[in-house]
């Protein structure tokens, strides 16, 4: 019953800090309840899917938005919509999720060419893209890593010059902007993800943006998404029966998921700001360690607006990475590396061979550590994380070898060009 005891509990010496946590707005259940109590459509392309697609088109300014079952399937659809023949090549980064590469290989005969990333943004390096273009190149898939958009002006110029399509893997980049345009709306196609780990979610889900007013292309996407049939036209009353038109699959999520997603989408701006606060607190608290050359922090180029999807620190070597991760784990804090570079994974080696040299990608793959970050993270939680990160960084000596591809003296990029 004593009050002093409960004060002690509010300053715990050991906490459990989750790596991510979906932000629940409270409206998700109301929208789902509406479907259930009013016997509305449960399958795909019901009222809520249409509401979400219209909202996406209006907010992000894309010609056509299709909800999909995942970011992965949005990428699959996008690659399918690029004209290609067996033996053609698509360039993508190696520092990305397997889905980016699967989307290419699922189309029999297409080849992957891995490109290097820029050490300051961790996004695909346009200079390396240009070097890797051949007569067989058909498209580039760019990944806006951590929600920081790629150098789109340069990438679009390279694509235009070489007649290539650009697919934006914007799975992590909802609400991010390059100059005044939203991520996912600048290339020919944009692919978003609403997986549980992303800024807004419906558990599993995604969206494909078609940034072209070509009726033919939009119709083709609609058919591929609906098991290869023109059922969408039938539902709109444009035809009196629908038939098999093309090879397709089932890429429509249930309207129950769209209802959940509508609630999330209505709060997307607020969620970004909640994440921004935590991101900036981390950055401010750890800046001194960056100045001393112990870690590197994320860079947000001047012409870019981030969405604060990931906060990472880059250690100087694998030994320091392991020491920091282990220390945080011991104190109940979940912090993780990100991708094992695809070119060094078993499947990547099988398709691209052993001679791919991507030193920046390798280094980032072994030295980048992501800290817990989610909308609604409490002050006591991030203070606990910062305290322990500082403790372990203090114990790492500054004598370590500096990061090979980065000199602390090189200026922070304020510009992309
Ligand atoms: C999450 C993610 C995907 C896959 O999205 P899912 O919705 O999980 O299928 C693809 N690419 C990148 C870069 C991602 O972060």
């Amino acid at each position: 019953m004593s009050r002093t005891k409960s004060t002690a509990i509010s300053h715990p010496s050991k906490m459990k800090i989750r790596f991510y946590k979906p932000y629940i707005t409270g409206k998700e259940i109301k929208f789902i309840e509406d479907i259930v109590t009013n016997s509305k459509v449960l399958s795909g392309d019901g009222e809520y899917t249409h509401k979400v697609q219209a909202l996406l088109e209006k907010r992000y300014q894309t010609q056509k938005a299709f909800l999909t079952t995942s970011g992965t399937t949005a990428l699959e659809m996008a690659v399918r919509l690029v004209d290609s023949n067996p033996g053609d090549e698509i360039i993508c980064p190696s520092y990305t999720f397997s889905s980016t590469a699967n989307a290419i290989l699922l189309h029999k005969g297409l080849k992957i060419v891995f490109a290097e990333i820029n050490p300051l943004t961790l996004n695909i390096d346009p200079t390396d893209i240009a070097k890797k273009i051949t007569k067989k190149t058909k498209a580039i898939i760019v990944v806006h890593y951590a929600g920081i958009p790629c150098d789109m002006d340069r990438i679009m110029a390279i694509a235009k010059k070489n007649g290539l399509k650009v697919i934006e893997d914007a799975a992590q980049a909802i609400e991010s902007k390059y100059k005044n345009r939203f991520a996912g709306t600048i290339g020919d196609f944009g692919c978003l993800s609403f997986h549980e780990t992303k800024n807004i979610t419906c558990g599993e889900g995604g969206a494909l943006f078609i940034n072209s007013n070509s009726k033919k292309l939009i119709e083709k996407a609609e058919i591929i998404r609906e098991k290869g049939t023109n059922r969408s036209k039938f539902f709109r009353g444009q035809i009196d029966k629908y038939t098999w038109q093309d090879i397709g699959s089932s890429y429509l999520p249930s309207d129950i998921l769209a209802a959940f997603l509508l609630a999330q989408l209505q709060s997307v701006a607020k969620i970004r700001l909640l994440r921004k606060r935590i991101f900036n607190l981390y950055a401010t608290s750890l800046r001194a360690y960056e100045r001393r050359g112990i870690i590197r922090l994320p860079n947000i180029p001047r012409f870019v607006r981030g969405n604060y999807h990931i906060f990472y620190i880059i250690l100087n070597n694998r030994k320091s990475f392991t020491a920091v991760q282990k220390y945080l784990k011991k104190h109940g804090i979940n912090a993780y590396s990100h991708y094992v570079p695809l070119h060094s994974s078993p499947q990547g080696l099988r398709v691209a061979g052993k001679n791919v040299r991507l030193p920046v990608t390798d280094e980032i793959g072994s030295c980048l550590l992501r800290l817990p970050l989610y909308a609604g993270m409490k002050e006591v939680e991030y203070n606990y994380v910062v305290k322990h990160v500082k403790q372990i960084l203090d114990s790492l000596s500054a004598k370590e070898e500096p990061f090979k591809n980065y000199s602390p003296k090189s200026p922070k990029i304020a510009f992309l060009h």
Side-chain angles (χ1 to χ4, degrees):
M1 295 302 284
S2 109
R3 272 161 199 266
T4 43
K5 257 185 195 162
S6 65
T7 324
I9 291 163
S10 70
H11 294 284
S13 60
K14 179 148 185 188
M15 296 176 74
K16 272 239 159 280
I17 310 287
R18 282 177 63 168
F19 180 63
Y20 70 88
K21 202 169 172 182
Y23 182 84
I24 301 300
T25 70
K27 279 196 186 162
E28 292 84 353
I29 200 77
K30 285 193 193 125
F31 292 157
I32 291 174
E33 194 178 6
D34 171 46
I35 293 181
V36 176
T37 56
N38 297 308
S39 304
K40 291 186 176 173
V41 168
L42 302 174
S43 60
D45 279 350
E47 176 187 325
Y48 282 94
T49 300
H50 287 124
K51 274 188 182 160
V52 170
Q53 289 180 171
L55 200 59
L56 289 171
E57 283 160 14
K58 181 156 174 261
R59 183 172 181 88
Y60 300 118
Q61 293 295 299
T62 175
Q63 302 290 332
K64 187 68 204 156
F66 286 111
L67 276 191
T68 59
T69 48
S70 64
T72 303
T73 52
L75 284 160
E76 279 175 42
M77 282 184 69
V79 174
R80 177 67 200 284
L81 292 168
V82 172
D83 283 329
S84 66
N85 296 304
D88 286 342
E89 297 166 0
I90 296 189
I91 299 172
C92 75
S94 166
Y95 194 67
T96 183
F97 193 48
S98 59
S99 296
T100 319
N102 278 325
I104 300 169
L105 295 183
L106 279 171
H107 298 87
K108 285 241 176 327
L110 282 185
K111 290 196 178 129
I112 291 188
V113 175
F114 290 120
E116 183 60 293
I117 50 172
N118 177 307
L120 294 173
T121 60
L122 316 190
N123 282 332
I124 196 163
D125 175 4
T127 310
D128 201 42
I129 293 176
K131 274 191 214 154
K132 289 181 170 161
I133 292 174
T134 71
K135 282 194 198 111
K136 295 272 181 193
T137 312
K138 279 283 153 23
I140 310 163
I141 307 184
V142 303
V143 178
H144 304 306
Y145 183 70
I148 296 170
C150 297
D151 189 348
M152 291 310 289
D153 279 352
R154 280 184 68 197
I155 290 163
M156 295 310 289
I158 292 168
K160 196 170 171 203
K161 192 173 150 213
N162 295 280
L164 310 178
K165 296 286 183 210
V166 174
I167 298 171
E168 296 177 70
D169 180 341
Q172 301 176 8
I174 192 161
E175 285 284 305
S176 295
K177 279 182 181 174
Y178 175 80
K179 298 193 176 170
N180 57 353
R181 291 162 78 189
F182 281 103
T185 69
I186 303 162
D188 298 274
F189 305 102
C191 303
L192 272 67
S193 167
F194 305 117
H195 184 263
E196 181 179 17
T197 51
K198 305 299 201 266
N199 285 20
I200 68 164
T201 182
C202 57
E204 300 275 359
L208 172 67
F209 288 177
I210 298 184
N211 304 314
S212 143
N213 51 16
S214 158
K215 278 216 173 72
K216 242 178 92 187
L217 195 65
I218 292 170
E219 193 169 302
K220 184 166 181 186
E222 200 171 73
I223 286 169
I224 290 172
R225 182 170 167 268
E226 256 288 14
K227 300 98 185 166
T229 73
N230 53 358
R231 182 149 76 171
S232 304
K233 263 191 169 167
F234 171 73
F235 280 144
R236 286 195 297 267
Q238 293 163 317
I239 46 176
D240 57 14
K241 60 175 182 291
Y242 65 89
T243 53
W244 189 26
Q245 302 280 324
D246 196 348
I247 301 169
S249 190
S250 181
Y251 293 127
L252 302 71
S254 156
D255 222 50
I256 302 168
L257 291 178
F260 194 105
L261 187 59
L262 179 64
Q264 295 267 309
L265 192 56
Q266 287 175 345
S267 290
V268 69
K270 178 185 172 187
I271 290 171
R272 177 178 170 273
L273 291 178
L274 289 169
R275 300 181 74 97
K276 179 179 181 178
R277 184 156 173 269
I278 312 294
F279 184 102
N280 285 341
L281 282 162
Y282 276 145
T284 315
S285 310
L286 300 175
R287 194 64 76 194
Y289 295 89
E290 184 177 49
R291 274 190 225 108
R292 284 162 52 198
I294 297 173
I295 54 171
R296 292 168 48 206
L297 298 178
N299 284 291
I300 303 180
R302 195 169 124 190
F303 290 126
V304 150
R305 180 179 97 151
N307 69 350
Y308 310 101
H309 179 59
I310 293 172
F311 186 87
Y312 60 75
I313 60 176
I314 302 169
L315 284 304
N316 286 335
N317 53 54
R318 184 68 182 178
K319 208 173 130 221
S320 303
F321 167 91
T322 309
V324 175
Q325 190 183 36
K326 234 173 115 184
Y327 186 82
L328 296 181
K329 190 172 178 201
K330 195 175 102 192
H331 290 89
I333 300 164
N334 290 300
Y336 299 104
S337 62
H338 214 163
Y339 309 116
V340 172
L342 297 183
H343 74 277
S344 57
S345 68
Q347 177 63 17
L349 284 168
R350 226 172 280 137
V351 297
K354 292 199 170 83
N355 298 322
V356 181
R357 294 282 168 269
L358 302 169
V360 181
T361 298
D362 288 335
E363 202 137 22
I364 297 303
S366 61
C367 300
L368 178 143
L369 185 73
R370 295 173 295 158
L371 300 183
L373 170 64
Y374 46 87
M377 196 173 179
K378 295 191 189 84
E379 196 173 320
V380 58
E381 291 172 322
Y382 62 72
N383 282 342
Y384 180 84
V385 178
V386 166
K387 182 177 117 184
H388 288 91
V389 172
K390 283 183 170 179
Q391 278 172 2
I392 181 68
L393 291 181
D394 283 336
S395 82
L396 293 175
S397 77
K399 296 189 297 257
E400 288 173 353
E401 265 180 66
F403 185 75
K404 266 189 252 150
N405 294 295
Y406 173 82
S407 148
K409 283 191 204 108
S410 69
K412 284 240 154 217
I413 32 166
F415 313 95
L416 280 166
H417 304 291

